[in-house]
Amino acid sequence: MDTLETRELRYFVAVAEELHFGRAAERLGMAQPPLSRAIQQLERRIGVALLERNRRGVRLTGAGEVLLHEGRAALDATTAAARRTRRAGGADSPGGPRNRLVLAVKAAASHELLQKLLDAYAAEPDAAEIEVLPCGMCEQEGMLRDGRADVALMHAPFNSLAGFDSEELMTEGQIAILPAGHPLAARRTLSLADVIDVPGLPLARWPRHGTYPPGPGPEIHNQTQLAQLIALGRTVAVFPDSARAWLWAEHTAVPLTDAPPVVTYIAWPAHSRSLALAGLIRTAAQL
């Protein structure tokens, strides 16, 4: 049996992520016994064990690890298909809105480039409506995969471009953003070593795939929170040079001499056949 139902994948992914049938059943809004039976039936149909069950709990087998990875991707793909089809369908309705593309961008990043892109594309005949969707650190990938976005501005080395088509748009250096009154703010340049371990001024921590890296710095949830904490002298952050666009008067930006360059790409799903998206990519490549 080489086919799987979406329902089966949702059930398995919930159990695999929770590693607890009770919590997975609660998450799915169903009773535990039918969930257990559904997973057992799935294992019989595929012909391999996906979970190891004992008195200490539940753990994934090697095959289960594979299905968790593949299942997440498959569920994202079905969700993306529904979302993008719904957006495209609106443009086909009598009196409906014109074609619309959702562009995911990291909040406050590449502001000048983004403005140039939007202005240049708006001047194109039959340009689609562009909805700009600001997001947090590294969220563009997930938004592209599950269809919340049609296209994104991504930043290497922070974002993964795996599975996407992309076009390079810009390369820039990085800066340390410090409280204006801090002694390091008076320096003309800094190194990464200068800002990684500053007494009383720990590096801000952004989540990656829902998890915060270890460290003494504050956990950052949004751009406004970060800006205020820097202004109050509670943290320091490292950003691409284009982040100067959102600095407050209480901030100072100092170039980092040894930080790797940041490359901004426009990225989109490799299988896309959208003519509106193709027009936006052409415009971006000509900037």
Side-chain angles (χ1 to χ4, degrees), residues 87-152:
R87 281 199 291 276
D92 294 334
S93 304
R98 59 179 173 153
N99 201 356
R100 180 167 63 97
L101 294 172
V102 177
L103 171 61
V105 299
K106 182 176 176 294
S110 304
H111 176 77
E112 184 177 348
L113 174 67
L114 175 60
Q115 190 62 64
K116 286 181 179 178
L117 173 59
L118 295 176
D119 291 345
Y121 181 66
E124 294 290 328
D126 301 321
E129 175 187 349
I130 302 295
E131 177 185 339
V132 177
L133 183 61
C135 59
M137 177 74 78
C138 297
E139 290 182 348
Q140 303 100 305
E141 302 165 44
M143 290 177 172
L144 274 186
R145 295 190 198 284
D146 68 14
R148 284 175 290 169
D150 302 295
V151 59

Side-chain angles (χ1 to χ4, degrees), residues 221-238:
H221 306 287
N222 56 60
Q223 201 77 29
T224 301
Q225 176 204 19
L226 174 64
Q228 186 167 29
L229 289 174
I230 294 174
L232 291 171
R234 301 301 179 90
T235 191
V236 59
V238 173

Side-chain angles (χ1 to χ4, degrees), residues 35-54:
L35 176 60
S36 298
R37 288 195 296 272
I39 298 300
Q40 290 169 353
Q41 290 169 2
L42 175 61
E43 289 177 312
R44 284 197 296 271
R45 289 176 61 213
I46 295 180
V48 295
L50 302 171
L51 302 167
E52 291 182 2
R53 308 159 179 84
N54 55 46

Side-chain angles (χ1 to χ4, degrees), residues 247-267:
L247 296 190
W248 296 4
E250 296 89 346
H251 301 154
T252 295
V254 181
L256 292 167
T257 57
D258 59 348
V262 175
V263 183
T264 299
Y265 294 85
I266 188 166

Side-chain angles (χ1 to χ4, degrees), residues 202-206 211-219:
L203 272 173
R205 292 184 294 140
W206 290 90
T211 303
Y212 285 91
E219 295 182 352

Side-chain angles (χ1 to χ4, degrees), residues 150-165:
D150 302 295
V151 59
L153 292 186
M154 312 265 270
H155 310 281
F158 308 112
N159 298 129
S160 170
L161 296 167
F164 302 122
D165 283 342

